[in-house]
């Protein structure tokens, strides 16, 4: 906002100074022509003119600084528009003069002076505007040296205003040397035309037109002004003559010279524009291929982009891309050629036994044009083929065709081969990213499965005055399928289950939830353990996929009779501590895992057992993760170690036994980073 | 890691398992058995002499073939298991569903008897 206000202020100030100049100059001229003494010092009009120039100079400078994004054509357009306005106003003045005819007014010195001052103002405005615009063009892609030279030029020019401001005695030598000094610097600066290269063909034409008109305006305005000055100087010597103004003259020369230079440079650049544009397009195409990996949805679009960009870069008449990734039938992407036609060419080259790129056996770019000549009815005369590599594996061939013989040059070969390489990298990246995404998805899935698994395990276990239960389950990074649960069926009966679902991951969690459903529905009605297993097997046979099974042990504790009924279906044998005998032993009953036998003969493979418990007896239920846990020597934790530990710590309560067991297990494996699921359920009778 | 070798003796396909079978290597075991069946062998011996460990996934592979072999009258006998491996089979009850011999000679006679 502040700069905007300053810009407005500067404009107003410059207008005010111009009006002041008009007043002062007219009054001087009027006084002189009427032989009166105006009383104004002779240097005043010059100072006011300089102030006017200064205000205008900074006005344009700030105005241009504000528009950062101005492009070249817009810049030229502005200069042109300003010139147009100045010229039109000047022409209107001329028209008025013409319409008035040679009356007294038109020959009146004051009137002529007024016209002159208006023209002068317009010219100075146009010149400063053009100067500021050219500054922008020259300093595009500036170097330190260039910037220094420019600043020197600008500041010495402004300093020259001082020379004009005070009525120094006119020294011809000084005047001309200053002028020629500025002209020389201006010429040196005019050599900076880098911006021209960045115009495209259309923009160049527009610029040429705009510059031509700008040059015309410049010439017209300087001609008009000098002719008015001629007339005026014939009438009176006492007016502000710009022809001795170093600043204005230097500016005029510089602006005109730069305009003409630009015009010529653009004109001579026109024929080579297409080359530059092509190079630019190559860069853009290259970027497109590299970026395609981030934006495109699939490999196909990468292939399509490769095809398009290659064709447009080398001006091929047709092209195809043969991709042999995975599937036996190569996929063909074509551009301006039918699949049949390209297949014909491929077959022809094969038939000719051309050992080249097309059979994907070679890894060098090949120009196979000479072989095309022998193919009848083929409209193409040049062919160039490139291999595409992904992870060192040749996944396809890019073939470019031209109807012209010898249509490809070395340069094109290089460019397209870079494209092909880049496309290979893009596809490789693309595949890697896809893999990473897939992994991420699996991880997410696993997280959910783990949550499900956790939620399936009971938070609170049954309690009884006869026994106390502690249970614990910890799974490795992957989701395991360990399950335990308790259910009270009536005031003196409680059912327990420990199960291990084969396999890991989501399916394991899924089967675990099935097992939970089965347990909670079957255990409700005081079912016998072997009956439980038979019916669970029957239910699971149709749910488990090939090769999956569930091992389980099911118990019912009867606190009236102080007996435990149980059945073991392929699960790790129960470890039982007998308090009266002070011994721990495994109950290795017969029984195969659930889901292994698909027919009703399962009942033959399962048996139910029972035992009486006494106070101090301990049941340790666990999954194979515990006994199969290995130490760094590859030894298993094993059954004996487990039993020994139990004997050692049989006095502790279930929770403590469990903690101690886990501690020993971690000590044994030497790491807390478990690679299987550890699950224990400890029941201590009281 | 598992290494699987196959060799044929008197029309019997012997699949030797060397190493450990876990969840990932069980796929190789599955492939080896499927290949043997695919080649038309009706007598298959599985040499477990060098099998150090088998996980439940590996057992699942043997289990999954039980019904199929019964239907197609294909005989499979495992032999030479170490104590650990044999224990794993026993706990799951697979020893009741599969034929398990002591050594190669016994396994051979078992497979021919059946």
């Amino acid at each position: 906002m502040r700069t905007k206000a300053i810009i407005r202020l500067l404009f107003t100030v410059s207008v005010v100074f111009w009006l002041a100049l008009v007043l002062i100059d007219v009054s001087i001229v009027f006084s002189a022509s009427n032989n009166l003494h105006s009383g104004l010092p002779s240097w005043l009009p010059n100072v006011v003119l300089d102030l006017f120039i200064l205000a205008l100079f900074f006005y344009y400078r700030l105005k241009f600084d504000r528009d950062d994004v101005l492009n070249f054509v817009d810049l030229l357009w502005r200069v042109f528009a300003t010139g147009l306005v100045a010229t039109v106003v000047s022409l209107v003045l001329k028209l008025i003069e013409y319409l008035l005819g040679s009356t007294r007014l038109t020959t009146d010195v004051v009137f002529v002076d007024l016209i002159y001052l208006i023209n002068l103002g317009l010219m100075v405005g146009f010149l400063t505007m053009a100067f500021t615009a050219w500054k922008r063009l020259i300093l595009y892609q500036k170097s330190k040296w260039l910037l220094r030279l420019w600043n020197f030029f600008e500041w010495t020019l402004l300093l020259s205003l001082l020379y004009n401001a005070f009525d120094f005695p006119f020294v011809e030598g000084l005047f001309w040397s200053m002028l020629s000094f500025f002209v020389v610097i201006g010429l040196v600066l005019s050599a900076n035309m880098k911006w021209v290269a960045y115009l495209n063909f259309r923009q160049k034409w527009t610029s040429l037109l705009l510059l031509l008109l700008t040059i015309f305006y410049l010439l017209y305005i300087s001609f008009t002004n000098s002719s008015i000055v001629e007339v005026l100087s014939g009438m009176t010597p006492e007016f502000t003559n710009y022809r001795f103004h170093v600043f204005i003259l230097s500016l005029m020369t510089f602006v005109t010279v730069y305009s003409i230079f630009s015009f010529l440079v653009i004109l001579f650049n026109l024929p080579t524009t297409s080359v530059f544009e092509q190079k630019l397009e190559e860069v853009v195409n290259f970027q497109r291929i590299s970026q395609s990996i981030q934006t495109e949805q699939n490999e196909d679009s990468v292939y399509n982009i490769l095809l398009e960009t290659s064709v447009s870069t080398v001006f091929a008449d047709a092209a195809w891309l043969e991709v042999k990734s995975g599937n036996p039938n190569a996929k063909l992407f074509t551009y301006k050629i039918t699949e049949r036609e390209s297949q014909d060419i491929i077959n022809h080259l094969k038939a000719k036994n051309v050992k080249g790129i097309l059979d994907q056996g070679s890894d060098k770019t090949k120009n196979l044009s000479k072989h095309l000549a022998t193919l009848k009815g083929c409209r193409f005369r040049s062919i160039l083929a490139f291999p595409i590599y992904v992870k060192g594996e040749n996944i396809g061939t890019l073939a470019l065709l031209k109807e012209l013989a010898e249509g490809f040059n070395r340069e094109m070969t290089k460019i397209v081969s870079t494209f092909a390489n880049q496309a290979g990298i893009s596809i490789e990246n693309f595949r890697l990213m896809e893999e990473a995404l897939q992994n991420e998805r699996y991880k997410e899935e696993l997280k959910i499965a783990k949550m499900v698994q956790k939620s399936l395990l009971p938070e609170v276990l049954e309690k009884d005055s006869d026994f106390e239960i502690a249970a614990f389950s910890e799974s490795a990074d992957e989701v395991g399928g360990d399950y335990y649960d308790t259910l009270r069926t009536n005031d003196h009966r409680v059912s327990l289950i420990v199960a291990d679902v084969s396999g890991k991951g989501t399916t394991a969690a899924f089967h675990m939830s099935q097992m939970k459903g089965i347990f909670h529905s079957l255990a409700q009605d005081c079912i016998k353990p072997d009956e439980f297993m038979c019916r669970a097997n029957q239910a699971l046979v149709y749910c488990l996929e090939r090769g999956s099974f569930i091992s389980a042990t099911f118990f019912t504790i009867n606190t009236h009779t102080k007996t435990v009924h149980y059945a073991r279906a392929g699960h790790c044998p129960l470890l039982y501590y007998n308090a009266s005998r002070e011994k721990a032993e495994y109950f290795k009953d017969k029984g195969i895992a659930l889901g292994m036998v698909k027919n009703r003969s399962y009942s033959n493979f399962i048996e139910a057992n029972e035992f009486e418990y006494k106070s101090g007896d301990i049941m340790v239920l666990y999954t194979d993760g515990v006994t199969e846990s290995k130490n760094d020597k590859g030894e298993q934790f094993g059954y004996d170690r487990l039993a020994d530990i139990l004997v050692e710590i049989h006095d502790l309560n279930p929770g403590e036994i469990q903690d101690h067991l886990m501690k020993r297990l971690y000590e044994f494996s030497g790491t807390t980073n478990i690679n299987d699921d550890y699950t224990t359920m400890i029941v201590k009778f009281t | 890691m598992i290494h699987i070798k196959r060799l044929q003796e008197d029309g019997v396909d012997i699949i030797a398992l060397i190493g450990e079978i876990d969840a990932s290597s069980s796929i190789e075991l599955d492939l080896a058995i499927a290949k043997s069946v695919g080649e038309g062998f009706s007598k298959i011996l599985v040499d477990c002499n060098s099998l150090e460990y088998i996980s439940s996934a590996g057992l699942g592979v043997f289990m999954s073939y039980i019904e199929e072999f019964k239907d197609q009258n294909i005989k499979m006998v495992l032999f030479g298991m170490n104590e650990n491996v044999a224990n794993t089979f026993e706990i799951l009850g697979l020893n009741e569903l599969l034929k398990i011999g002591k050594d190669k000679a016994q396994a051979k006679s078992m497979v021919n008897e059946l």
Side-chain angles (χ1 to χ4, degrees):
Chain A
M1 264 333 271
R2 261 191 71 212
T3 41
K4 211 173 174 183
I6 293 173
I7 287 170
R8 275 195 197 143
L9 183 72
L10 279 169
F11 186 72
T12 324
V13 166
S14 64
V15 170
V16 168
F17 278 128
W18 180 74
L19 287 173
L21 176 69
V22 169
L23 269 175
I24 293 161
D25 203 58
V26 163
S27 68
I28 289 176
V29 167
F30 183 76
S31 313
S33 62
N34 291 313
N35 290 322
L36 294 168
H37 187 65
S38 65
L40 293 167
S42 59
W43 49 266
L44 190 62
N46 277 323
V47 170
V48 176
L49 175 64
D50 283 355
L51 287 173
F52 164 63
I53 290 172
L54 264 179
L56 214 56
F57 185 84
F58 284 103
Y59 162 71
Y60 278 121
R61 194 176 171 156
L62 279 181
K63 203 165 136 78
F64 273 91
D65 278 351
R66 256 170 62 87
D67 297 318
D68 261 343
V69 280
L70 222 57
N71 71 36
F72 302 132
V73 177
D74 280 350
L75 209 64
L76 292 175
W77 172 259
R78 280 204 192 178
V79 174
F80 157 79
T82 316
L84 184 68
V85 170
T87 311
V88 165
V89 173
S90 167
L91 278 171
V92 167
L93 287 174
K94 247 197 183 148
L95 188 71
I96 292 169
E97 215 177 333
Y98 173 76
L99 285 176
L100 288 172
S102 50
T103 54
R104 244 193 103 225
L105 183 67
T106 51
T107 50
D108 184 64
V109 71
V110 175
F111 178 75
V112 176
D113 190 40
L114 188 66
I115 301 268
Y116 161 67
L117 286 171
I118 295 173
N119 270 311
L120 182 66
L122 289 170
M123 184 175 76
V124 171
F126 181 38
L127 286 178
T128 28
M129 153 68 168
F131 178 79
T132 323
W134 288 180
K135 174 190 177 184
R136 176 70 73 103
L137 294 179
I138 288 172
L139 293 185
Y140 183 76
Q141 290 204 350
K142 51 183 170 264
S143 65
K144 215 173 175 180
W145 180 84
L146 179 62
L147 197 64
R148 275 184 195 157
L149 185 66
W150 177 268
N151 284 334
F152 175 70
F153 181 54
E154 214 175 68
W155 288 109
T156 44
L157 261 181
L158 289 175
L159 271 176
S160 79
L161 284 174
L162 274 178
Y163 169 79
N164 295 290
F166 302 103
D167 209 12
F168 288 127
F170 183 76
V171 183
E172 202 162 343
L174 183 64
F175 172 78
W176 284 114
S177 56
M178 267 171 82
L179 194 59
S180 45
F181 171 71
F182 286 128
V183 169
V184 168
I185 300 189
L187 273 171
V188 171
L189 284 167
S190 297
N192 289 287
M193 295 278 173
K194 292 201 180 87
W195 60 281
V196 172
Y198 293 88
L199 299 174
N200 64 30
F201 200 65
R202 250 182 80 109
Q203 286 172 326
K204 275 186 182 148
W205 274 113
T206 321
S207 307
L208 276 182
L209 192 71
L210 291 175
L211 277 169
L212 194 67
L213 287 169
T214 306
I215 294 166
F216 169 75
Y217 298 149
L218 281 168
L219 294 177
Y220 170 77
I221 288 172
S222 60
F223 170 74
T224 313
N225 271 298
S226 68
S227 65
I228 296 177
V229 166
E230 287 294 330
V231 173
L232 203 56
S233 56
M235 293 174 168
T236 172
E238 301 281 332
F239 70 102
T240 316
N241 194 341
Y242 79 91
R243 285 207 290 192
F244 301 110
H245 203 285
V246 177
F247 182 87
I248 296 179
L249 291 180
S250 308
L251 217 58
M252 192 188 274
T253 325
F254 169 70
V255 167
T256 315
V257 164
Y258 195 74
S259 305
I260 293 169
F261 271 28
S262 303
F263 179 81
L264 291 177
V265 167
I266 294 178
L267 190 67
F268 292 128
N269 253 311
L270 267 181
T272 52
T273 307
S274 60
V275 177
F276 191 80
E277 270 175 41
Q278 196 194 335
K279 287 285 162 205
L280 211 65
E281 196 176 331
E282 278 163 22
V283 174
V284 171
N285 282 342
F286 202 71
Q287 257 185 335
R288 261 181 75 198
I289 291 191
S290 345
Q291 276 172 1
S292 59
I293 180 234
Q294 281 135 28
T295 49
E296 297 309 324
Q297 296 301 310
N298 48 44
E299 282 182 26
D300 284 9
S301 38
V302 176
Y303 293 133
N304 278 322
I305 288 174
L306 171 66
L307 201 62
E308 272 173 41
T309 48
S310 310
V311 164
S312 67
T313 312
V314 301
F315 307 112
D317 294 315
W320 80 74
L321 183 63
E322 196 184 11
V323 181
K324 278 192 180 170
S325 53
N327 44 338
N329 290 326
K331 208 167 171 184
L332 219 53
F333 297 85
T334 55
Y335 174 85
K336 282 193 184 167
I337 184 172
T338 58
E339 267 188 39
R340 234 193 105 95
E341 242 179 318
S342 41
Q343 210 60 54
D344 280 349
I345 297 173
I346 293 171
N347 290 338
H348 172 75
L349 292 175
K350 249 183 211 161
K352 282 262 157 189
N353 207 10
V354 176
K355 285 276 176 258
I357 203 68
L358 288 176
D359 62 359
Q360 305 201 339
S362 162
D363 56 357
K364 276 203 189 123
T365 307
K366 284 226 172 148
N367 194 336
L368 304 165
S369 301
K370 60 177 181 209
H371 303 289
L372 271 188
T374 49
L375 180 60
K376 271 179 200 153
C378 178
R379 59 194 165 109
F380 302 106
R381 282 290 161 264
S382 307
I383 179 170
L384 204 59
F386 301 88
I388 298 166
Y389 287 98
V390 173
K391 281 185 193 162
E393 179 201 356
N394 187 346
I395 61 142
T397 306
L398 170 70
L400 298 165
L401 297 151
K402 272 199 187 188
E403 288 173 14
L404 218 69
E406 302 288 325
F408 298 100
N409 59 33
R410 188 179 271 276
E411 200 63 28
M412 291 170 173
T413 316
K414 266 191 209 159
I415 292 159
V416 179
S417 113
T418 338
F419 279 176
N421 286 340
Q422 187 59 37
I425 293 167
S426 280
I427 290 165
E428 185 177 334
N429 284 345
F430 194 84
R431 288 184 180 174
L432 284 175
M433 210 157 79
E434 198 122 281
E435 256 171 52
L437 269 178
Q438 196 74 23
N439 274 340
E440 209 48 47
R441 232 172 281 152
Y442 281 139
K443 268 188 196 161
E444 202 54 37
E445 225 174 75
L446 228 66
K447 233 163 123 184
I448 294 169
K450 221 168 175 173
M451 255 164 56
V452 170
Q453 186 205 20
K454 265 231 154 81
S455 69
L456 290 174
L457 297 173
E459 277 175 32
V460 186
L461 297 163
E462 285 303 329
K463 269 189 192 145
D464 199 283
S465 53
D466 254 26
F467 57 85
E468 214 181 307
I469 307 178
F472 166 87
S473 181
E474 186 175 347
S475 56
D477 291 340
E478 293 176 294
V479 178
D482 284 3
Y483 171 62
Y484 62 82
D485 214 340
T486 60
L487 183 76
R488 179 173 287 277
T489 37
N490 56 38
D491 63 334
H492 61 277
R493 280 162 82 117
V494 170
S495 297
L496 312 178
I497 190 167
V498 173
D500 182 359
V501 176
S502 74
K504 294 208 181 330
T506 351
T507 43
F510 187 63
H511 291 323
M512 202 176 134
S513 72
Q514 287 176 326
M515 194 64 228
K516 186 180 171 111
I518 288 168
F519 172 69
H520 279 269
S521 57
L522 290 182
Q524 297 264 335
D525 350 297
C526 307
I527 195 170
K528 279 185 180 162
D530 50 344
E531 179 73 13
F532 172 89
M533 288 303 181
C534 285
R535 287 172 66 175
N537 183 62
Q538 208 54 42
L540 281 169
V541 155
Y542 299 104
C543 303
L544 298 172
E545 71 266 34
R546 184 173 173 269
S548 293
F549 54 86
I550 299 177
S551 70
T553 319
F554 176 82
F555 302 85
T556 54
I557 304 173
N558 189 327
T559 50
H560 274 182
T561 57
K562 301 222 183 269
T563 49
V564 175
H565 285 80
Y566 73 98
R568 191 186 69 90
H571 198 73
C572 303
L574 165 67
L575 173 60
Y576 195 85
Y577 177 76
N578 192 316
S580 53
R581 287 164 55 208
E582 292 183 0
K583 265 176 81 178
E585 57 188 334
Y586 287 97
F587 289 3
K588 293 187 178 176
D589 310 86
K590 201 171 102 172
I592 64 175
L594 300 171
M596 279 195 168
V597 179
K598 308 261 182 237
N599 50 40
R600 292 192 178 270
S601 67
Y602 182 79
S603 56
N604 302 332
F605 297 103
I606 196 90
E607 60 183 27
N609 277 301
E610 61 172 293
F611 57 85
E612 283 180 19
Y613 63 82
K614 292 194 181 63
S615 174
D617 286 2
I618 303 165
M619 293 205 299
V620 175
L621 314 176
Y622 55 91
T623 53
D624 55 8
V626 175
T627 46
E628 285 177 10
S629 166
K630 279 181 192 166
N631 66 6
D632 50 3
K633 285 178 204 145
E635 287 171 335
Q636 289 195 347
F637 191 69
Y639 294 96
D640 296 341
R641 212 182 305 260
L642 186 63
D644 292 347
I645 293 171
L646 182 62
V647 173
E648 249 174 68
I649 57 170
H650 68 268
D651 285 337
L652 303 176
N653 67 36
E656 291 166 341
I657 293 175
Q658 179 179 285
D659 292 345
H660 188 84
L661 212 60
M662 281 304 131
K663 203 182 102 201
R664 292 290 291 268
L665 194 58
Y666 284 130
E667 268 172 22
F668 173 80
S669 61
T671 165
T672 49
N673 199 2
I674 57 175
N675 52 13
D676 201 345
D677 306 349
Y678 292 162
T679 299
T680 58
M681 186 194 249
I682 292 157
V683 184
K684 188 165 188 183
F685 296 99
T686 48
Chain B
M1 273 307 294
I2 183 76
H3 188 66
I4 297 177
K5 271 189 192 164
R6 284 180 59 203
L7 97 157
Q8 286 75 38
E9 267 178 37
D10 321 322
V12 178
D13 193 23
I14 303 174
I15 302 172
L17 309 175
I18 301 145
E20 297 185 353
I21 296 179
D22 54 19
S24 55
S25 55
S26 69
I27 298 161
E28 284 178 58
L29 172 65
D30 196 15
L31 285 175
I33 297 177
K35 205 171 170 192
S36 177
V37 174
E39 285 169 19
F41 287 98
S42 61
K43 290 172 183 175
I44 299 169
L45 296 187
V46 182
D47 180 354
C48 302
N49 273 307
S50 305
L51 181 63
E52 286 150 23
Y53 169 80
I54 185 161
S55 77
S56 55
L59 297 170
V61 171
F62 286 117
M63 182 203 110
S64 65
Y65 279 102
I66 293 172
E67 301 260 309
E68 193 184 326
F69 283 3
K70 206 177 260 174
D71 293 345
Q72 294 177 25
N73 205 24
I74 296 171
K75 278 118 189 153
M76 177 168 74
V77 177
L78 290 77
F79 68 91
M81 290 180 195
N82 70 29
E83 205 184 328
N84 253 338
V85 173
N87 195 28
T88 319
F89 275 87
E90 266 166 45
I91 286 174
L92 270 180
L94 261 180
N95 55 333
E96 304 212 25
L97 301 174
L98 295 168
K99 300 285 176 282
I100 297 170
K102 233 188 200 144
D103 49 27
K104 195 162 151 188
Q106 192 193 12
K108 252 190 187 170
S109 65
M110 278 168 83
V111 87
N112 287 322
E113 263 171 42
L114 287 168

